[in-house]
Amino acid sequence: MTWTARPRSGTARAPGAESAGTVNGARATDSQAAAGQREVENAVVHARGLTKSYPGHDAVQGVDLTVRAGEIFGFLGPNGAGKSTTISMLCTLTPPTGGRAVVAGADIRTRPRLVRARVGALFQHSALEPDLSAARNLYLRARLHGLPRRTARVRTARALETAGLADRADERVRTLSGGLRRRLDIAHVLLHAPRLLFLDEPTVGLDPPARAQLWQHLRSLRAREGMAVFVTTHYLDEAEHCDRLAIIDHGRIVAEDSPERLKSRLGRESVRLRTDDDSRTSDVLREELQLAAGHGPDGLLTVPVTDAGASLPRLCSLLSARGVRVHEATSATPTLDDVFMHHTGRRFD
Ligand SMILES: Nc1ncnc2c1ncn2[C@@H]1O[C@H](COP(=O)(O)OP(=O)(O)OP(=O)(O)O)[C@@H](O)[C@H]1O
């Protein structure tokens, strides 16, 4: 679907909406137009055909993306796939060479200042001044946003509270741990209460407990502030925390859905068995359940099923009732790494 960005006081329209009349099908066209309009209005990012070409090289090739208000949206892809370029365009740091995007209700081409006023972005490099205190960093940033002194003080105190840093307010940034500094980085870009927060690999350099704490912090921020988070990561376990994911490869979106649906769509669930009689097991499964079992590379009998968790106990009790002894039984479901491999031909990291 293509769409027209909403003019300042107008409405977004799906294609064909203008031609809706009283002929058959007009109502369907109207309702499609209304659904398309609702999708644009409920989205904090609505990009269609977003493109960035450099001389002799297309970095991003017609990307369609929809990020809904309040969701944590993960953006994955191999190195050089186009993640940073896409984010730069959505944050209005890089102009697109084609396509459209409305971010936080404003068109990135025609209202870039409004987009910037409504989003927060945290890239790899911290903007914190290491020799100033946590509170001073936040206060100065709030003033840079044009907030009056009193409001800046109130926002600073609130941001420190939200980041769990109220008791470290007067400590110099360079003395804080990596995890606390990242929380302060995030507080820094949230001072102007953005509707959408872009985070480019926010947990790089943090140890596993600090990574887990940062994700906990992001979830509570989302719950408290209701903002959406658009995040890139090179960690699979973090991708699992996202409400939805998009995978980009060679500048194109190759998959977009919730982690669960992306995995289940691969349809490669299986139960793996070690028994005292694999031949009889295969016969029982084929004759009674029409399941085709075969030996996997590890020598275990692999049985493709649609729901591995539910199938495992059923298969075990059936085999036991038929006199087969099951020594080992495991269920295997596809991982996000399998999803990534399927769509990009590469392992996640
Ligand atoms: N200014 C530029 N001029 C020319 N090519 C560029 C420019 N910026 C990025 N590219 C190219 O565009 C492609 C996408 O780069 P981009 O940085 O968006 O990828 P990425 O997915 O963020 O990669 P990484 O995970 O390594 O950061 C790459 O092939 C890169 O070399």
Side-chain angles (χ1 to χ4, degrees), residues 105-117:
D107 191 301
I108 59 169
R109 282 175 186 270
T110 57
R111 312 291 305 276
R113 285 163 66 97
L114 193 53
V115 172
R116 273 179 243 156

Side-chain angles (χ1 to χ4, degrees), residues 230-266:
F230 188 115
V231 59
T232 68
T233 177
H234 272 118
Y235 295 108
L236 269 182
D237 57 326
E238 295 184 358
E240 294 275 5
H241 289 307
C242 297
D243 299 311
R244 287 192 311 124
L245 298 171
I247 300 175
I248 185 169
D249 193 25
H250 298 299
R252 297 180 198 279
I253 302 295
V254 291
E256 182 181 352
D257 214 328
S258 68
E260 282 318 308
R261 279 200 292 271
L262 285 170
K263 287 184 283 187
S264 73
R265 256 200 261 134
L266 280 191

